[in-house]
Amino acid sequence: MARIHRLLEEHGRQGALAFTDDRKELEVAFDFMSDEQTGVGFLFSGWCQAALPHRRQPDDQIWLIETEHLKLMVEPGSVATEDGVIRIGVPYGSRARLILLYLQTEAIKTNSREIELGRSLREWLQKLGVSIGGKSMKDVREQALRLSRCRMTFQITKGNQIGFVNQNILDTALFTHHVNGGLLETVKLSEGFFEQLKKHPVPLQEAAIRAIANNSQALDIYCWLAYRLHVLPADCQITWKALYAQFGRSYARLRKFRENFLESLKIALAVYPDAKVTTTEIGVILHSSKPPVPQKATHLVNPTTK
């Protein structure tokens, strides 16, 4: 348990303020620790190692992440309009991540590629504290459209073997029409992506996602730690250069990335009390830790896990 969690347990929310200057970290940790819901979400392990951009990219730009063991390429989709075919850009930000998480969670829980959305997605977003009106819902619709049109390629290297997942995330998508744009009502995950998801699901605490739902970088780091820490046989040092390659694609300079990464890491650790991570001048050291979701709880939601 990190210092911020001990402070909250010993002194409460108001009392802990006397011992820390980081109110944001404190509030996130408090929200997480006081959350009594026990929901579990699931994410394909590939998305825990490489993620979408944080901010909007040029609509015709391909998003590419390359690390030692994985490459992710996301190609923007197109739509036909009265003026011809136009690119709509790759998905980005926290809303795209939350939609992806919802789709994969429902697919695992129901063991089905076909997912009913509409009211279910709106209720789930509300449960995460995301407003479903005005600009926020417009953002959700836009990211849903981008996700339904984009094409992704995961290249995963294990020893001398290289594997590919190369297709659309969705096979089909049905939109309803609104004055302000359409909202996904039903979707069908592509068969290849669904099979990879069932083989490699990473369990996540919904309470953690809820507490950091508006922070895309903290979401990425939390998912990465949930994937890495509990399987480590020994301490593992990750350099800033390697972290920059994995998480810093949106930053022009390593120095700025490092500054923001450290802030986001604190937020991610605030919702993962059992995570053991040490920061150094060279980078970070990951230590073997308990998973955020106990295996027993995972099995109750997803009986296929072993």
Side-chain angles (χ1 to χ4, degrees), residues 231-243:
V231 296
L232 288 175
D235 292 352
C236 178
Q237 182 165 284
I238 315 292
T239 65
W240 286 116
K241 183 179 179 181
L243 290 168

Side-chain angles (χ1 to χ4, degrees), residues 198-218:
K198 288 195 296 181
K199 290 178 182 177
H200 309 287
V202 177
L204 308 168
Q205 280 193 301
E206 281 191 1
I209 301 299
R210 188 161 30 250
I212 59 176
N214 292 314
N215 188 327
S216 60
Q217 188 167 57

